[in-house]
Every structure is written in structure tokens, then in C-alpha cells.
Amino acid sequence: MALELFTVGEPIADTKAPTDVPIGERWSERRFRAKLVNPANRRKLTVIVVGTGLAGGAAAATLGEAGYKVKSFWYQDSPRRAHSVAAQGGINAAKNYRNDGDSVHRLFYDTVKGGDFRARENNVHRLAEVSTAIIDQCVAQGVPFAREYGGLLDNRSFGGTQVSRTFYARGQTGQQLLYGAYQALERQMAAGTVEQHARTEMLDLIVVDGKARGIVARNLITGEISTHFADAVVLATGGYSNVFYLSTNAKGSNATAIWRAHKRGALFANPCYTQIHPTCIPVHGEYQSKLTLMSESLRNDGRVWVPKERGDTRDPRQIPEAERDYYLERIYPSFGNLVPRDIASRQAKNVCDEGRGVGPNGLGVYLDFAEAIGRLGRPAIEAKYGNLFDMYAQITGEDPYEVPMRIYPAVHYTMGGLWVDYDLQSTIPGLFVIGEANFSDHGANRLGASALMQGLADGYFVLPNTINDYLASGPFDKVDDTNPAAIEALEGVRAQTERLLSINGNRTTASFHRELGRLMFDLCGMERSEESLRKALDRIPEIRQEFWTNVRVPGEAGRFNQSLEHAGRVADFIELAELMCVDALHRNESCGGHFRAESQTPDGEALRDDENYAYVAAWEWTPEGVPPVLHKEDLEFEYVHLAQRSYK
């Protein structure tokens, strides 16, 4: 298989984490050993930050506050519209306010275990350490976290844990956290330390003498393509779930920034690690363009069930308790409805495959709050989840206070991303990658409420410390539009733009995206097999060939043109999809969200192969027709010992 699909290159390793001290001291030791930049010298250094979600907004604000000159880019009209705003359920932190046995070490352990032992221990432990400071930072900003009657911050539980460590703001936690970061960013814009570039999309990375020195970007209103330069570039552009077309991500969310950086030399790690979220509103039509998340926090009080008998189409309120199967509580008595997302999603798929699914197409399970409403009262449920219940009612026309919600898994998050070291620096010096855009913290499965934790940890606390070590070698030689690397990157973007507009074929970009997404979900989704992945790898090159010969992109380059934007993103999705399938096929084991049908325990759980696959798969870009190159980073487990995951 290796000769056919990929070649194996030199191994890769993270050399920045100080492994000569205990893991609990490594983050503070790394900060101490790192070079610093004098405050007066920071004013001479420029950093480009692409993206203004939790990671990007926090990073730009913090770097501006530190005195660096920051150029902030986002493709929306306002930083507040970054997709972080859509996060619902909460943010994890090891505060142990509930006095229920939580600690930094337990959060570290839960995250490594939840990621099915495919994450780097050093990064995960740092995340757990920093988590406590995030809450203090956000409270100081005025984020309105929910509070108990006595005024203390409230907590609730999320999947994969047996403690309550999730801080929340009703069902709008991402929105409130993003507004906190936005306030900090706006302050720096007003102070003149952050230069803003709204409605601007990065289309290439400028690499000069092996270092990231700028970007090529397109103004989405005027169509102008221009170059921008800096001493370092930070990508905070999110994940690539929209390769599946239907996902819970915003329609504009895309992989273009990280994919173009990958094509410039940044290794792409674990692209096959994608997360299917178990609680989403089911698909309701052939031409639906997006799916809607129902927060995992609902599983605190909602009970998941299906009828025991196949084909039972009765009103759920008419099905007696004895004829219901609360299958998560039955299979996983220790964790019940709060098992990790990958497990809950697969079990939902299993019961639907058995013919016990509910709803018009049989692709749904019930999430029932009748017991919780009876126990706590409707006002208590409204206080916790009111906006989520309202959202569900508006979309489905059903009242979840009276009738159980119908939910089904949907693509939600990607654990893969650009490879980074302990400093969050990619394999291109000067290119840093933060938040969901990198691979570093979640292994093969992210636990609920950990995305917000990672985004803010990277943006507020990690990157501002580690980027100093790189920038201390600056300021670097001046780079401008006359540099050959800048000219080449700019002309490359213009050439691709002209090529897309000149094809003038018969199919819309959306039709290609929809076909690719359906293929990826069916063949590289919740369950993959050698047969399905080879089938996908046969079809994807055909889709790519037809796209570049038969797509129709109306309009012009020098003006507002959303069709052109979408076409460029779909071209990148097609290439990324092929690498995802190669990665999934090469990893002949099941782990977390990567479930190979050939590798499962007798009772249907993911079966890892630690002897052969306990590594990060970091892929090197190669031109079309040349197999990608695999670089392996071996994973070592000193503090959380390898074991088969069990939530029973």
C-alpha cells in the first residue's frame, strides 16, 4: 500500500518541550528558557494574524497589548462573526469549584484518554494547566458565566468525564467568550497596535529564504489581490469540516489558508481525524446546505433512546418505558449519556442501522427531557437550555418541552490540522498555527467543551509566550513586493483566479461540493473500511478532473464575487479530501473518531493498534501525480499509560 499511495520520509519530532524536567514543570521551564523581546524592540516587529475567532482574536489582542505591530485579517464584515460565536455548551477548566475530585492532572488524563491516546502529552498537560487562567481572564473581561444561587460560577458536565468542570453562559458560551476577545481586540485597534483588514481572505503564504514572511490576500468587496508582509505569520483559521459539505460549521468556514500553507511546505498532521457530533438536528432535505448543532450539554438532563422494536412509528409519548431502549445508559452504565462524542455517534448509527431509528427517514434518535422536567421543573430547564430549545422549535416546528427532540450525528470538528511543535510553530519557521487549525491537543477525538479551552489557551497564553523566542532573532531583512517570492505567490493567485473564471463549464461549484461531501460522509465518515476508502480514492481524482474542466464560475475577478470565493475553497477541499482518505487508509486501526470497520473489538468498540500506529502522521505536500510523503512523530506516554478505552 505504501508504494501505491504514499512514500515514507524522515521521522519528525518536537524538540521544544523541555523533557528533562517533570511534565508539570515543562511549560514554566519552556517560558524561562525562551528568548525574550525587549518592549522597545517589539514596536519594530510585525505579526500577521489570520482569523479573529477565539484563538485569532485573543492572539491579536494580546500581541497588540504586548507592543507588537499586528495586522489582523478576517473575511467577515466583523470579527464578531467568526464561527467561534456559534459554540454553545461551555468551556472546560480544572478549577474544581464543585469539589468533586477534579484537578489539572485529571483534566490532562481525561483529555489524553478521550483522544484515544493519539495526542502529545506535553501539549495536553499545558492546556490543562492554562485552563484555570482562562476563566479568570474571561471573568475579568465581564463574560457573563452562569452562577449558582450564592454567586459562585456554576459548572456542568460534558462527555467523557465524571466531574463537572464546564463553565457556561446558558447555550451561548462561544458568543460571550468571543465578545470578550472582541472587546480586547477593539481596544488594541483603537490604540493603533492592531491594523484591521476586514472582508479579506488569505489565498497564499509568502515564504522567503525558508521563513514565513507574509501572505497574499484578496479583498472580497473590490476583488483586489495584494501582498502583506510581517516578521511572522499566525494562522487561526479553524478547521475543515466543510469538506463534508453538510456540517455544523458556518457556510464560509474553509481550509484554504491552512491548505495553501501546506502546499508551501507546512506538514499536515492526522487529516483523517474528524469528529462527528452526536446531537444535531437531522438532515431534512436533499438541498439542505447546513446542519444545526444541539449542544452536548443537553445530555446532562436529556436521555437518549429509541424504540426497542424495529419500525415503531408511534408518537414517542405513546411508547411505554418498558418498550424504550435507553441504549447509552444500558451499554455504558458508568458514563451513561455522557460518553465521548465518537462513541455516542457510533451507537446512534448502530441503532439506526438496525432499523430502530426515528423520524421520517429513520435517521434519528430521541433526546428526551420529560424526566428532567418532572424532576426539576420546566423553569429550571428553561434557565439552562432555553435558547437551545427555542432554536430547535423554530427549525423543526416541534416543542421539545412537550415532545422529545430528534437528533442524529453530524460532522462538527476536525482534530487534524497543520503540524506544530510545543511552541505552536509549524515546519515553516515563522509560521505559527493556533486553535482548531493545528493538530496538537485532541488526538483522535476531542472532548466536549475543549475547543473553546484550546482556542483561548493558544491565543491568550501560549502563543504570546512562545512567539517571542522566534521574534527575538528579528527584526528580519525587509521584504516587499519586489521580492521574487512575493511576485511568484501573487502571480500564482492571479493565475488560479483567471483559470477558474475561464473554464465556463456546465456545473456549479455547489454541485461539486455537494457530491464531494456526500462521498466523504458515506466513504470516509463515521465508519471507514479499506473498500470504501479505495472507492473514494478512485472517485476523487475524477471529481478533481471534472471540476477543472467543467465548473462554471460566473462574474468577474475585480469585484464582489461569492461564486469565485466558493470555487477556490472547493478546489482546496477536493485536494484535502484525497489526503484525508490516504491518511485514513494508511492508518489500519480504529482510534477515536477514526473507526475502521476491520479494527473493532467483539462488542463493536474501536480497537487501536499501538504497536504499529502510536504516532502522529504528518504529511508533506507533493504535486499532483506524486504520492504524498509521510513523516512520523512517535508518541510517548510517560504519565498516562496506554490502555483500551472503557466508559462502561
Side-chain angles (χ1 to χ4, degrees):
M1 183 175 69
L3 294 176
E4 178 185 353
L5 291 174
F6 63 92
T7 60
V8 179
E10 292 297 315
I12 190 170
D14 169 36
T15 60
K16 299 292 180 59
T19 55
D20 55 331
V21 299
I23 196 167
E25 300 173 16
R26 289 175 186 171
W27 175 227
S28 59
E29 186 66 22
R30 175 59 190 144
R31 284 180 290 167
F32 175 73
R33 295 181 187 179
K35 300 172 186 175
L36 299 177
V37 180
N38 182 291
N41 289 336
R42 293 174 199 162
R43 295 191 292 271
K44 304 173 186 177
L45 294 163
T46 303
V47 180
I48 286 174
V49 180
V50 185
T52 56
L54 289 181
T62 307
L63 293 172
E65 182 80 35
Y68 292 109
K69 292 187 291 185
V70 179
K71 298 179 181 179
S72 179
F73 292 79
W74 63 91
Y75 69 78
Q76 302 281 15
D77 54 355
S78 167
R80 292 176 300 177
R81 297 178 72 86
H83 188 59
S84 298
V85 77
Q88 297 171 355
I91 177 171
N92 289 330
K95 284 286 197 180
N96 196 30
Y97 282 173
R98 287 290 185 91
N99 195 28
D100 55 1
D102 201 11
S103 64
V104 167
H105 187 79
R106 187 174 295 278
L107 175 53
F108 161 63
Y109 172 84
D110 286 346
T111 304
V112 173
K113 177 184 175 183
D116 214 353
F117 301 90
R118 290 296 177 261
R120 192 190 283 156
E121 277 193 337
N122 293 326
N123 292 62
V124 177
H125 196 279
R126 176 178 62 191
L127 178 64
E129 288 180 65
V130 170
S131 70
T132 59
I134 296 171
I135 303 304
D136 297 338
Q137 168 90 356
C138 295
V139 170
Q141 290 175 334
V143 173
F145 286 121
R147 294 180 181 268
E148 295 178 333
Y149 180 76
L152 299 177
L153 296 181
D154 196 12
N155 293 115
R156 57 189 177 197
S157 297
F158 261 62
T161 71
Q162 291 180 309
V163 297
S164 295
R165 65 163 66 103
T166 305
F167 295 78
Y168 64 99
R170 214 178 181 198
Q172 302 165 307
T173 313
Q175 179 192 67
Q176 298 305 316
L177 292 173
L178 183 63
Y179 286 1
Y182 171 71
Q183 290 175 170
L185 181 60
E186 284 288 298
R187 179 172 178 269
Q188 294 309 310
M189 288 178 182
T193 63
V194 176
E195 177 182 301
Q196 54 184 310
H197 294 268
R199 302 293 282 137
T200 306
E201 181 175 25
M202 172 184 162
L203 295 180
D204 206 350
L205 180 72
I206 298 172
V207 180
V208 179
D209 297 329
K211 296 182 175 67
R213 294 301 309 275
I215 65 172
V216 178
R218 180 174 181 269
N219 184 305
L220 300 183
I221 303 300
T222 67
E224 179 187 4
I225 299 172
S226 57
T227 53
H228 305 267
F229 302 97
D231 296 291
V233 177
V234 179
L235 299 186
T237 52
Y240 48 93
S241 292
N242 276 349
V243 71
F244 292 92
Y245 186 70
L246 286 179
S247 83
T248 65
N249 283 198
K251 285 298 293 176
S253 298
N254 64 84
T256 289
I258 58 173
W259 189 250
R260 305 286 172 91
H262 172 56
K263 295 173 79 167
R264 288 291 178 185
L267 299 188
F268 204 117
N270 301 332
C272 76
Y273 288 169
T274 55
Q275 180 167 90
I276 313 292
H277 197 294
T279 52
C280 302
I281 297 177
V283 176
H284 64 259
E286 179 69 19
Y287 291 98
Q288 186 172 350
S289 61
K290 188 186 180 307
L291 296 175
T292 303
L293 173 71
M294 287 284 103
S295 170
E296 182 171 320
S297 63
L298 294 170
R299 288 195 275 144
N300 274 272
D301 291 302
R303 300 179 69 192
V304 180
W305 65 276
V306 291
K308 288 185 176 180
E309 299 298 326
R310 296 181 181 182
D312 190 336
T313 59
R314 287 178 291 174
D315 184 311
R317 293 168 293 186
Q318 305 302 316
I319 300 177
E321 283 288 315
E323 297 177 30
R324 300 180 179 188
D325 180 13
Y326 294 91
Y327 58 90
L328 292 179
E329 298 174 28
R330 171 175 55 82
I331 301 172
Y332 308 100
S334 294
F335 283 75
N337 294 297
L338 288 175
V339 292
R341 292 173 176 177
D342 59 315
I343 292 174
S345 293
R346 281 197 296 273
Q347 292 298 348
K349 178 182 183 298
N350 289 342
V351 296
C352 290
D353 288 348
E354 293 170 3
R356 296 193 289 143
V358 301
N361 57 8
L363 294 178
V365 300
Y366 289 126
L367 183 61
D368 196 336
F369 291 86
E371 186 273 337
I373 291 173
R375 172 168 46 87
L376 301 172
R378 176 166 172 163
I381 298 300
E382 287 179 343
K384 285 184 177 182
Y385 313 115
N387 68 302
L388 299 173
F389 277 47
D390 290 346
M391 186 191 310
Y392 181 88
Q394 290 173 18
I395 292 172
T396 65
E398 299 172 0
D399 183 358
Y401 293 105
E402 301 294 334
V403 181
M405 289 183 178
R406 285 181 294 108
I407 57 170
Y408 192 70
V411 178
H412 177 60
Y413 187 89
T414 51
M415 287 73 67
L418 294 186
W419 185 93
V420 292
D421 60 18
Y422 194 63
D423 284 359
L424 303 183
Q425 186 170 208
S426 74
T427 48
I428 300 176
L431 177 66
F432 293 79
V433 190
I434 60 177
E436 190 180 353
N438 74 32
F439 87 102
S440 67
D441 292 345
H442 306 295
N445 176 64
R446 177 177 68 76
L447 292 183
S450 289
L452 306 188
M453 175 174 61
Q454 185 206 353
L456 291 181
D458 287 357
Y460 281 136
F461 298 106
V462 181
L463 177 80
N465 281 287
T466 60
I467 200 172
N468 293 329
D469 189 63
Y470 176 79
L471 292 174
S473 302
F476 304 101
D477 293 339
K478 182 176 174 57
V479 177
D480 58 25
D481 286 332
T482 63
N483 188 282
I487 294 171
E488 184 269 334
L490 183 65
E491 291 306 314
V493 169
R494 287 174 174 163
Q496 176 164 333
T497 300
E498 292 169 3
R499 183 183 177 192
L500 286 168
L501 290 168
S502 68
I503 296 170
N504 201 29
N506 297 314
R507 287 187 62 181
T508 64
T509 301
S511 73
F512 283 104
H513 196 179
R514 190 180 297 112
E515 180 184 357
L516 177 71
R518 184 177 293 116
L519 177 144
M520 288 297 290
F521 191 80
D522 290 344
L523 304 181
C524 190
M526 272 190 283
E527 181 174 301
R528 300 99 183 256
S529 66
E530 180 174 354
E531 179 184 2
S532 73
L533 293 167
R534 289 191 179 278
K535 183 177 179 181
L537 287 168
D538 287 340
R539 178 58 185 147
I540 292 171
E542 296 172 353
I543 294 175
R544 180 174 61 240
Q545 173 66 21
E546 185 176 358
F547 176 86
W548 284 107
T549 56
N550 197 32
V551 72
R552 183 179 183 85
V553 183
E556 303 169 4
R559 58 181 295 180
F560 179 71
N561 189 339
Q562 290 185 305
S563 296
L564 178 60
E565 296 170 32
H566 191 202
R569 295 165 187 171
V570 171
D572 293 331
F573 281 142
I574 293 171
E575 294 177 349
L576 172 56
E578 186 168 21
L579 183 62
M580 291 169 65
C581 292
V582 170
D583 187 38
L585 183 55
H586 113 276
R587 188 172 286 277
N588 192 19
E589 65 161 354
S590 294
C591 55
H594 169 65
F595 189 80
R596 285 287 297 266
E598 306 93 335
S599 183
Q600 53 185 302
T601 64
D603 54 355
E605 302 290 350
L607 180 63
R608 295 196 321 271
D609 180 355
D610 295 330
E611 182 177 351
N612 294 304
Y613 294 101
Y615 61 77
V616 174
W619 296 91
E620 178 185 340
W621 164 260
T622 52
E624 184 178 341
V626 180
V629 181
L630 170 64
H631 300 270
K632 299 178 182 180
E633 179 197 344
D634 289 334
L635 292 170
E636 298 179 3
F637 296 92
E638 300 176 76
Y639 296 88
V640 181
H641 298 298
L642 286 165
Q644 181 68 30
R645 277 194 316 174
S646 176
Y647 292 93
K648 294 186 175 180

